[in-house]
Structure formats: structure tokens, C-alpha cells
Amino acid sequence: MKATGQHPLPRQRADVAAPEPGERPPVFAVRGLWKVFGPRAERVPRNPALAALPAAELTARTGCTAAVRDVSFEVRPGECFVVMGLSGSGKSTLVRCLTRLIEPTAGAVAMDGEDVLAMDKERLRELRRHRAAMVFQHFGLLPHRTVRDNIAYGLQIQGLSRAERRARAEEMAAKVGLTGLEHRRPAQLSGGQQQRVGIARALAVDPEVMLFDEPFSALDPLIRRDMQDEVLRLRREEGRTMVFITHDLSEALRVGDRIALMRDGGIVQIGTPEEIVGRPADDYVRDFVRDVPRDQVITVRSAMRPVGPGDADRDGCAELPPETVVADAIAAVARTGRPARVTDRGGRCLGVVDHERLLSVVAGLDTPELEGTAT
Ligand SMILES: Nc1ncnc2c1ncn2[C@@H]1O[C@H](COP(=O)(O)OP(=O)(O)OP(=O)(O)O)[C@@H](O)[C@H]1O
């Protein structure tokens, strides 16, 4: 996203559109956010000529680094919003700006419609303790405390009694599969177990949103997969909102409902895994997703064609829900030897996938999303 024009003020008001009646506002709404490190950083977003400079030139001219550049997005209640990008693209800085662990240079951040940049110290402390809990890559555990005490750490500050803290810590330990290990110290745990403690500690304060900063990148691949399953399970069972930083594309595709792909401080595309893989916004994204097995990500909702006159005979056709991935649809079409019908929950036929459509997805040919054509 390019800077457009002059910033009226270093900090804009959090002008979040009013939610529809009955609709919750976004958990986070971020508008025109900048974080510039270096001397007289505020002049960069204010000055369109500086704001438009490529990263290296900006540094050469001003000594500043624009870690986050004019970024706007919303995190919706209950979603896992992934921030992905190569090392140095600005992921950690962006997520730290959400709770002002790093102070933004310009722009607006709102949480549940409340202007985060206008919060006083007390309100900010409350936000970080109760509303947005962070899980770090290096676990951040206290080495001389037991698992139980580490999990209960945030509860002490909340003023719960000792017995209440213990009970809650044990409940959280059970939730993440640590039952029986409550009396160990962090050094007596594997990496995966230590990260479970980190997750349990974040969960214990019952936060509205969990912020994960590359939580699994120190773990080996099998444990990493287990931990991703844990995150998926927590989201499914608890519906908790998550912001998840990773530089690993397969992890992003696995855990993300939506992914923001960052490059040089800007967001180059925001979309579902299927949108990112199926309709990359530019050559950079296309290059990024080149090796992704498309048939595992793209669904028949995008691959289907409208029902035609030749599809009247439904005999022996498989019926697939629209979220079926292409790999499974290929198996169904091969099994029946007939095109498969894509149907919604009410049995309405939305379209058809035949082997040509499915092969064109695998081959990376254009698969424009088609409007549902009911029969
Ligand atoms: N305190 C700081 N002072 C100056 N520059 C900084 C500071 N913190 C980060 N940067 C720079 O801002 C840019 C973005 O850094 P950031 O750590 O947000 O990236 P990242 O995508 O999280 O990277 P990684 O995956 O390696 O953690 C980098 O160029 C980094 O060098």
C-alpha cells in the first residue's frame, strides 16, 4: 500500500465505521498506521515525497527505517488473522503497535471501537493484562517458578486469591495438555511443552484476543504441527480472536482465516488462504505462493463452472459442499467418472466441477470465482 497524499495529523482519530445493529465492531481496526524508527521520524508519514521513497533510499536520505508503512486492516471477532512476511518485513513491529508496546508514529488503532492511541497508562495496562495476551517465540517463562505458577502469573496481578489462582492454573494446564506436569520447572520441559505453558498463561487471563509472535518457530516440525493443531482447536472450541505472526507460509495457510502478507513495511495483500493462493495480487505474492499445492487450498467454490444443459443427468454424480478442496473433488470425480455437483446445505446446486476445471486449478490456470447458478 502506497502512501497517498499528506497526512493531516501525525495521529488520525480512530474513525471506525459504526457497526450494524447487532454486529460486533472489529476487535482491531487499524488505519494508515506508520512506525518509523530514526531521527525526526514523524516527518516521514507527513511528507508525501519522503513517504513514497523505497526503503533503502529513505534510510540513505533520512537515516530512518519505515518498519510499518501506511497499513490498514481489521481483525474480526473470532478469526485467526495471520501477519506473514519475510524477516524484517515489519510483522513484529506492526503487532506491537496494536497494544502500543511500540508507539506508532502516525495513523489510528482502535480496539472494540475504542481509540487505543488515546488510552492513558492505566487503561493501556488493563488492555495488555486482560484484553490482549501475548505468546512469544521464546516462551518468556520464569525459570525458577513451577508450571503452575508460571500459568498463574498474570492472575496474581488481577487480585485473585491463591486458591482461585491455583484452580484456574490447573484448569488451563488441562486445557493445553499439561496435566501432571504442574510442579515441574520450565527447564524440565520440552520446547513444545514450554510453549504450551506460554499459551496456558495467556489463556488464563481470559483475554479477548491472543497475539502470537512467531510462537512455534523454535520447535521442530512435528511438534510444530501439534502446536498448530492446538491453536486450531482453541479457536474452534473457544472462538477466541487471534493475531498470529509467522514467516512460514504453510503455517499461515494452515492456521489463518485471513492472511496479511507484508513486504518492506506495507501490506501487499489481505485475503483468505484460498484468495492468496488462487488470486495473488502481484508477482511478489505469486512468487511467494508458487510452491503451494493448489489442490489442497483452493476449493470447488472457486473451481466450479455454471450448470449447463449437458448437466441435466445427475445419475451417479457426487455432491460436494462448496468448501471441498480440489484434491478431494478430484478423488470424487475419478471415483464416479462423472462431473461432481457443488451443493449448498439446502441441496441447491451452485455449480459443477469436471475434470477440466479441476485440472486447470492444479495447473495454475485462471479460475475466476463464479457466481452461484442455482437449478
Ligand atoms: N528499535 C528499532 N530501531 C530501528 N529499526 C528497527 C527497530 N526495530 C525494528 N527495526 C527495523 O524495522 C524493520 C522491521 O522489523 P520487524 O522486527 O518488525 O520485522 P519482522 O518482520 O518481525 O522480522 P523477523 O521475522 O526477523 O522478526 C527491520 O528493518 C528492522 O531492522
Side-chain angles (χ1 to χ4, degrees), residues 305-313 375:
R305 61 165 171 75
V307 181
D311 298 314
D313 177 14
T375 54

Side-chain angles (χ1 to χ4, degrees), residues 37 65 67 86-93 214:
F37 293 106
T65 304
L86 301 177
S87 179
S89 57
K91 308 178 295 292
S92 293
T93 307
E214 300 252 8

Side-chain angles (χ1 to χ4, degrees), residues 147-164:
V147 165
R148 189 172 64 191
D149 288 350
N150 266 286
I151 297 175
Y153 181 68
L155 301 175
Q156 215 159 336
I157 317 167
Q158 288 196 350
L160 292 186
S161 75
R162 197 177 158 83
E164 284 168 328

